[in-house]
Amino acid sequence: MIPEKVFHHILALGEGWRVQQVDYLDKESKVLIRVENTPALWVAERCPHCGRTGVQGYDHAPERRWRHLNVCQLQSEIVCRPPRGRCGACEKIYTVRAPWEGRSRGLTQEFEAFALTLMREMPVSKAGEILGETDTKLWRALFAHVDAAWSELSWENVVWVGADEMNRKKGHNYLTVFVDLQTKRVLLAVEGKDAGVWERFADELFSHNGHPKAITQIAIDMSPAYVRGVRENFANATVVYDKFHVVSQVARAVEEVRRKEVRVDATAREHLEKTCWLWRKNPESWTEKEGRRWEQLSDKPLVTGLAYAMRLELQKAYASGSAAVARTRLVNWCRWVKTEAAEMTSGLLAPMRQAAEMVERHLEGILGHWQRGLTTAFLEGLNSLFSATKRKARGYRSTEYQTAMLYFVAGKLEIPYYG
Ligand SMILES: [Zn+2]
């Protein structure tokens, strides 16, 4: 079989196209597959404007190239002057879309599908190195794919929603990420962290066959802006403050206590030196060294130690079997923390008192954890998802890139299959 025929088969061109010539460019280690249309193309061709047959060849557009899968480890490109047709019915002239054309310019469908598969597994820059393509071209393919697949998603059955912030650190643009807690997928990422992001989410629900009134439960942190956004846009939803956010807010209070204590008390400063990580973890995740450190510290009169014990006690409340038991334990916890804080004249426990007041204020939503049987473990996993997203989008920090990558890795979009 001569090469032209072989490539005709490989590219599955059908009758409307033929491989005119295959050139091997020694210097660039590249194969150029020159393709042209045959008269048979016009037999089946339908006008994109009126849908009728009877299109005739008019002329050819300038030459274009499409990167294709490698052939025997050589880069290959399809080269073609796309034909222009003239419709006999509506008389419009248009350029025929090549059957191999991908969603982004200059890449074939097969190459795009392969590139997307690589980008699922590794940072875009790394995929670019392997494929010998620029980041820009690969990102363009990713954007084209994500845009198309994401806009077709149906959110018809979405009823349990969670939201969290990505890029909490200063100097980054905040992103609020909405997730479907049942199918465990990212639905939407919106710039900002104010109440307005909830309006955006409500709007997007309409465009995806969903409805704000269908949302019955929403898991969020206790930020007043989020609470307001939910109230204003999701009348049927019960707010649930998930365990992860409650515990991490209390953990942050412990951290504040430690910082204050180090500042005001020289003896405490000596004891607390380099123990930052100890207080952030649960005892079961301590290293052996950290465990020994804790034993040394346990008989010292440290306010940080007391604050830490308070946090562990709150976590224990989450082991309660029912909402009724949990309510009692949480109410008792708040009372205990506030009493201790009031008795401590140094004021060091103030952050813990504030945390207790926050728990009191949001008690009903916190108890939703038991009443609704809502598992928000997926929300807790979001932080590692966010890091994975940033790793893959390394070097591209704008929200546009991060959003596309989020949808790509966690939106459960299909990689298109070109059969
Ligand atoms: Zn027409």
Side-chain angles (χ1 to χ4, degrees):
M1 215 187 268
I2 56 168
E4 283 72 16
K5 276 201 171 162
V6 175
F7 279 103
H8 186 102
H9 276 282
I10 292 175
L11 297 174
L13 286 178
E15 281 186 0
W17 305 83
R18 73 179 199 97
V19 178
Q20 192 187 349
Q21 198 179 317
V22 179
D23 294 329
Y24 168 56
L25 307 184
D26 196 16
K27 239 172 37 195
E28 298 167 54
S29 300
K30 197 187 262 183
V31 175
L32 291 188
I33 311 160
R34 297 183 186 279
V35 177
E36 63 182 2
N37 67 294
T38 68
L41 176 76
W42 305 113
V43 179
E45 179 67 12
R46 284 180 181 277
C47 167
H49 301 286
C50 69
R52 274 177 276 191
T53 53
V55 180
Q56 287 191 329
Y58 183 73
D59 65 358
H60 287 84
E63 183 182 286
R64 281 180 55 194
R65 290 182 177 209
W66 293 262
R67 172 81 196 272
H68 191 55
L69 293 175
N70 287 9
V71 177
C72 303
Q73 286 158 29
L74 299 169
Q75 283 197 14
S76 79
E77 280 179 9
I78 295 180
V79 184
C80 177
R81 291 188 62 189
R84 298 207 305 160
R86 183 175 182 276
C87 174
C90 73
E91 300 191 342
K92 290 207 167 101
I93 295 166
Y94 67 93
T95 306
V96 175
R97 191 185 161 84
W100 54 82
E101 181 150 274
R103 282 197 173 118
S104 59
R105 203 174 165 85
L107 302 177
T108 67
Q109 293 168 5
E110 284 83 356
F111 185 86
E112 263 184 10
F114 183 54
L116 289 168
T117 311
L118 287 188
M119 285 188 271
R120 275 240 160 122
E121 306 301 325
M122 59 187 76
V124 174
S125 50
K126 178 94 183 128
E129 275 170 38
I130 290 175
L131 295 165
E133 273 303 339
T134 60
D135 287 13
T136 318
K137 232 175 184 180
L138 294 187
W139 273 107
R140 210 184 293 145
L142 189 134
F143 275 116
H145 160 66
V146 166
D147 284 351
W150 183 81
S151 60
E152 281 167 20
L153 285 178
S154 170
W155 297 351
E156 206 174 353
N157 299 318
V158 175
V159 292
W160 288 5
V161 170
D164 205 357
E165 279 162 43
M166 182 167 162
N167 302 343
R168 281 170 195 276
K169 279 187 206 145
K170 276 181 193 157
H172 295 254
N173 292 323
Y174 288 105
L175 269 185
T176 295
V177 180
F178 296 90
V179 298
D180 179 354
L181 290 172
Q182 280 177 310
T183 58
K184 299 186 177 19
R185 60 179 166 154
V186 168
L187 298 172
L188 176 73
V190 179
E191 212 167 303
K193 55 168 187 167
D194 52 4
V197 297
W198 291 89
E199 199 179 332
R200 271 291 305 283
F201 178 51
D203 286 345
E204 284 294 343
L205 270 165
F206 285 117
S207 344
H208 289 268
N209 265 340
H211 201 290
K213 288 204 166 139
I215 309 298
T216 55
Q217 280 151 64
I218 295 181
I220 48 172
D221 64 18
M222 284 157 281
S223 106
Y226 276 4
V227 177
R228 203 175 73 237
V230 170
R231 283 219 190 97
E232 285 170 1
N233 296 282
F234 295 87
N236 291 347
T238 309
V239 172
V240 177
Y241 301 111
D242 63 284
K243 176 187 167 188
F244 166 65
H245 283 129
V246 176
V247 172
S248 52
Q249 194 135 341
V250 172
R252 277 199 291 277
V254 176
E255 174 65 15
E256 252 180 80
V257 171
R258 187 189 66 84
R259 282 203 204 134
K260 274 195 180 175
E261 192 172 26
V262 165
R263 260 201 318 270
V264 301
D265 184 334
T267 325
R269 178 162 50 233
E270 235 166 79
H271 293 314
L272 289 170
E273 206 181 356
K274 290 184 187 157
T275 61
C276 173
W277 284 101
L278 188 75
W279 312 110
R280 284 190 196 171
K281 291 180 182 177
N282 289 323
E284 59 268 26
S285 1
W286 282 341
T287 61
E288 222 173 283
K289 205 175 146 197
E290 285 166 335
R292 278 200 302 276
R293 190 75 199 265
W294 165 253
E295 274 169 30
Q296 290 164 5
L297 290 175
S298 55
D299 57 350
K300 309 279 185 302
L302 290 169
V303 182
T304 307
L306 177 58
Y308 182 70
M310 288 170 170
R311 171 193 143 183
L312 294 186
E313 213 38 49
L314 176 87
Q315 279 168 266
K316 273 192 212 150
Y318 270 97
S320 308
S322 71
V325 175
R327 182 188 294 275
T328 310
R329 294 187 74 165
L330 288 170
V331 168
N332 286 343
W333 183 83
C334 293
R335 197 179 300 141
W336 171 48
V337 172
K338 284 163 66 184
T339 310
E340 292 281 353
E343 283 171 6
M344 195 167 292
T345 45
S346 65
L348 278 174
L349 275 178
M352 297 308 290
R353 193 197 65 233
Q354 284 158 8
E357 285 165 356
M358 173 205 76
V359 169
E360 274 179 337
R361 267 200 313 278
H362 297 86
L363 190 60
E364 295 312 314
I366 291 172
L367 289 169
H369 175 84
W370 286 268
Q371 283 152 350
R372 311 282 154 189
L374 180 69
T375 163
T376 53
F378 181 57
L379 269 184
E380 196 170 342
L382 274 184
N383 279 304
S384 54
L385 174 70
F386 293 163
S387 332
T389 303
K390 287 178 199 169
R391 230 178 5 257
K392 287 201 163 115
R394 203 162 48 203
Y396 295 84
R397 261 166 53 175
S398 81
T399 48
E400 197 192 359
Y401 285 88
Q402 286 188 344
T403 303
M405 193 48 90
L406 255 186
Y407 294 167
F408 185 57
V409 297
K412 304 216 164 158
L413 310 175
E414 296 283 311
I415 286 193
Y417 174 67
Y418 302 113

